[in-house]
Amino acid sequence: MNLNDLIIGVISFVLTVMVFSYLFGDNFLFRLAMYLLIGITAGYTASLLIMKVLIPFLVTPLIEGTFQTRLWTLIPLILGFILLMTIFPRMSSMGRVPLAFLVGLAAALTIVGVTLGTIIPQVLSTINKFSPVLLYQSADPPWIKIIDAIVMAVGAISALATFYFGRSKKDAQKNKRPVLVEGLGKLGQVFIGITLGALFAGVYSAALLALISRVSEIGSFFTKLIAQ
Amino acid sequence: MSPELQICKNCGTENPADVLFCLICGKDLAREPLSDIPELGDILAESSEPLEKNDDLPEFIRNLHDEIPRTSIRRSSIFNESSETEDAQPESNPQESETFEENIPEWLKKIRDRAHTEDDAAGDLIKKVTARETHDLKSPQDDPSEEFEGWLGQVRKSAQRDTVNFQQEGQDDQPDEDEIPAWLLKVRENEGKLMQEAPSEEQQGSSDPGSVPGWVREAAGKEDEIILSTEPTQIIKVKPPTEADQPNSSEDINQIEEQLEEDLSSDNTSSQLNDVTQQLQITSSGEAGIPESKEKEENVKVFWEEIAKNPVSAVIKEQHSKAELFKALLSVEGQPIEKIQKPEKKSSRVIRIILAFLLLIVVSLPFFFGISNDNFIGSLPLPAQAFLDRVEQLGSGSKVLLVVDYSVGVSAEMEHVAAPIITHLAETQVELAVLSSYPEGAWLGERLITSALAYRPDENLQMIVKYLGYLPGGRIGLYNLAQSSQSPIFNGFINLEAVTEPADLGEYDQVIILVDSLQAARNWIELVATRIPEIPVNMISSSQEAAMLLPYFDSGQINGLVAGLYESSLYQASISDTSQTGSTWLSYQIGLLFMIGLMLLGIVIRLESSGDRILKEIKK
């Protein structure tokens, strides 16, 4: 174990103990560890953005690039400068231009991405599960695949029905959804509940693994320290 | 003529029944001489006497007083000619009044006409303003003290009338929420938000202290509480109402008002008002808001006796208190409210610490004693098997793009999950390029490769790894990456020598994406994977996101998926590698069992305590 490993190991152990001190309630040591984490992350991100984004994508092209490159680089430079003006209340309205550009671009990408990357492929996948070719292609018995396909379709439709809040046209005065949608919505709540339960179990799993990882690393550190 | 109308004896104008002064000439319209009313006789006698100079008045009354001339001036500017006429002959005859009516605005005529025809049409405020303006018009240049005296007389009569009304009401009247004015409801509403807890004894207050309307009684109760709970010495002492005690001269009134001014302007006023707020907070949670104890009942009686004795000072004091209360409420409006947290029980903290240390010991045991479990039960799930098949298709020298898109918080899990796959890739001798769209992903990628290869130090695994660093821009950056091989503009712009170029995606034989969130996975699937259908895209995720990613595997948008430590361990067993996660897996299993046991225990304890509580309620 060299000096670097020793220092890192000690700091790691101390910080872990500081975080565990939360067991005794909120205290200064725990808060100090949190502040360190946030501060270091923010500092690292800032330095990374300067070194990996601003300098190579903005400064270097302006200094060393060709005339065409410099012109291209002027666009983000001006937009960035205008965006910076939002810190001054009088000029904050100017910042809407680059913000509008960014929001519009992100919205366009999201709409296209969700439509082509999620909605259409997922709908097609749900429909294709009933394809006879796929049903008999698998090694599993076809009835299992059929049940699988039905559960998938019912789960998808009922989960969507859960979030349908339209009123029945027949009984418009009663604030109730149509009977079919109401029933499907109740069923959809079951599917959503199971999904959220699985996500919650995953959170426990991740937390437990983080604990095991720390215990493993601290144990390994002390084993090496004692062995020397 | 309607019996509700009353004719002015001065100008003959018909006035609504409930106005005090003639709407035209301002003459007092009392239907019977006020001196005939025993309760009012003395007070009116005082009000008819002019007050002394303005300098003798208390400051806040003088402030009110000062507003009257301004109104007179404004009114005079509108009705200049009429005012002059009125000045010349204060006791104007009906003909002159008709001349004046020709000059008044149309809107005022309508209001007055409607007030003649409909008793309820003229609001209380309009009636008072009309009477006041008419009175001002009558003698705008008179001594202001006379105008003030008129106003004071109105206040006295109003208070006296209220007192008489209160006494006429039954003693058994319960406070009615409908009678509570809007301002008190607002106070309750606002203060209810501030209030976290109220003493239970205060919530039970429901006694009926007097024969007054509910909201007045409630306000009076608070007023009384304030005075008596803070500075008992500041109460205006009430003696039995004898004739000798009745204020029968302007000097007496001034004396009382000066005393009141001192009371209100004393240093303790703010503390009293703070207590007002506190008392409102407490009583607003109760049904009635009336103090229950006899002492408080007596306080309320004292308050109303005070009103009976000296209505002016009591009413002004009450109004002053209300105004200050609103001022205090406005001052705290919008300010953050400190959340009152219940102190944690010491026993629960001890139990929590014991359980945490127990969990710590349990998960540490396999590492300290070198116990491992390499017998993984179950077969590799279909998505993980597909992943394995794709990796095995790679040959030596194949190029793989490894995307490290997870945060520091889940790095422990992700490193454990990805380690068998990284070593598998190292065994295959692929060329790895590591890229991240997370800022911290750049060094997490380096740490991942280092720690994964360190799992098998004996075999001295080596792999050609190229760290491409951070890909900025989020979704836009990913779109840019997907377009880089197709668009010469993007390609030409990015391909600067100073930039770490992630290179063309078409160069890679496979893309492996490590993600800790559905959003990150969707970004890559929607913006990148759909544009490179010829390149297999596999995913490694935390167990938390597995359920959300499986539909993408079913739809064929990702070609393989390994999620969580369990699948990773099965993957490891499938490639006959037992050197890495045996102890971790055993520790994980023990930890999960411990946590499941804790949850079940918690459920049982909770049910038991709930059952006990229900049984107690049933017994009650």
Side-chain angles (χ1 to χ4, degrees), chain A residues 3-146:
Chain A
L3 187 62
N4 279 347
D5 291 340
L6 181 67
I7 293 170
I8 291 170
V10 169
I11 291 173
S12 167
F13 174 71
V14 170
L15 284 174
T16 306
V17 172
M18 284 164 73
V19 172
F20 274 130
S21 70
Y22 189 70
L23 282 171
F24 300 96
D26 193 11
N27 58 74
F28 172 73
L29 292 176
F30 175 76
R31 287 199 298 272
L32 180 64
M34 291 298 105
Y35 298 153
L36 274 174
L37 175 69
I38 294 165
I40 290 170
T41 305
Y44 173 80
T45 306
S47 63
L48 183 83
L49 290 175
I50 291 169
M51 300 302 294
K52 299 286 184 184
V53 178
L54 291 180
I55 291 176
F57 283 89
L58 194 67
V59 179
T60 309
L62 275 175
I63 296 170
E64 300 176 1
T66 61
F67 180 71
Q68 188 185 359
T69 305
R70 286 178 183 176
L71 283 179
W72 276 110
T73 315
L74 274 178
I75 297 171
L77 180 67
I78 293 168
L79 288 175
F81 186 74
I82 294 172
L83 191 60
L84 203 63
M85 290 294 106
T86 52
I87 59 175
F88 303 109
R90 286 187 178 182
M91 301 180 179
S92 59
S93 58
M94 292 173 67
R96 292 175 190 163
V97 176
L99 273 180
F101 176 73
L102 285 175
V103 171
L105 195 59
L109 284 176
T110 303
I111 290 168
V112 172
V114 168
T115 308
L116 297 178
T118 296
I119 294 176
I120 293 174
Q122 293 300 313
V123 170
L124 287 175
S125 168
T126 308
I127 294 169
N128 287 337
K129 277 194 170 289
F130 291 95
S131 165
V133 177
L134 289 176
L135 287 175
Y136 290 97
Q137 198 178 30
S138 170
D140 295 329
W143 63 271
I144 291 179
K145 302 293 286 183
I146 291 171

Side-chain angles (χ1 to χ4, degrees), chain A residues 23-24 44 48 109-110 113-114 117-118 121-122 125 152 199 203-206 208-209 211-213 215 217, chain B residues 352-353 356 360 364 412-413 439 443 447 475 479 522 526 543-544 551-552 554-555 557 565 587-588 592 595 599:
Chain A
L23 282 171
F24 300 96
Y44 173 80
L48 183 83
L109 284 176
T110 303
V114 168
T118 296
Q122 293 300 313
S125 168
M152 181 76 80
L199 292 176
V203 174
Y204 267 101
S205 171
L208 184 60
L209 272 172
L211 176 68
I212 291 169
S213 171
V215 169
E217 287 194 15
Chain B
R352 191 178 64 192
I353 292 169
L360 206 60
S364 310
E413 182 182 11
W443 64 268
R447 180 187 152 95
R475 291 176 68 87
Y479 181 79
R522 278 179 51 189
E526 291 173 354
S543 55
Q544 185 181 345
Y552 289 100
D554 285 338
S555 65
Q557 291 173 279
L565 189 66
S587 177
Y588 179 73
L592 273 186
M595 290 171 84
M599 280 185 190

Side-chain angles (χ1 to χ4, degrees), chain B residues 68-124:
Chain B
I68 295 170
R70 286 201 295 273
T71 312
S72 303
I73 291 165
R74 192 184 67 244
R75 190 70 176 82
S76 300
S77 64
I78 297 171
F79 306 110
N80 196 18
E81 293 179 8
S82 300
S83 299
E84 288 173 1
T85 308
E86 296 287 336
D87 290 341
Q89 295 178 343
E91 298 293 328
S92 59
N93 57 41
Q95 288 177 349
E96 287 168 341
S97 298
E98 286 174 10
T99 310
F100 162 70
E101 275 191 23
E102 291 174 5
N103 293 329
I104 61 173
E106 189 64 27
W107 60 270
L108 191 57
K109 272 185 182 176
K110 286 179 181 176
I111 290 174
R112 286 176 174 172
D113 291 342
R114 198 174 170 194
H116 280 291
T117 55
E118 296 177 32
D119 186 46
D120 295 336
D124 191 46

Side-chain angles (χ1 to χ4, degrees), chain B residues 404-510:
Chain B
V404 182
D405 269 9
Y406 56 82
S407 56
V408 183
V410 292
S411 61
E413 182 182 11
M414 295 303 295
E415 285 169 9
H416 277 105
V417 174
I421 297 159
I422 301 292
T423 52
H424 193 196
L425 290 171
E427 283 178 341
T428 315
Q429 296 290 315
V430 299
E431 289 182 18
L432 207 60
V434 182
L435 176 70
S436 177
S437 65
Y438 281 30
E440 64 268 34
W443 64 268
L444 282 177
E446 291 187 30
R447 180 187 152 95
L448 170 70
I449 303 297
T450 310
S451 62
L453 296 179
Y455 272 109
R456 294 160 72 175
D458 301 336
E459 299 181 22
N460 196 21
L461 286 173
Q462 288 185 347
M463 189 164 47
I464 300 170
V465 183
K466 183 181 178 184
Y467 294 104
L468 301 176
Y470 170 54
L471 179 70
R475 291 176 68 87
I476 299 171
L478 292 182
Y479 181 79
N480 191 7
L481 176 69
Q483 294 289 328
S484 61
S485 59
Q486 301 166 21
S487 169
I489 294 175
F490 286 103
N491 209 22
F493 177 63
I494 288 178
N495 271 337
L496 297 166
E497 290 180 0
V499 180
T500 306
E501 167 56 25
D504 189 352
L505 282 175
E507 294 177 4
Y508 297 103
D509 298 308
Q510 198 170 115

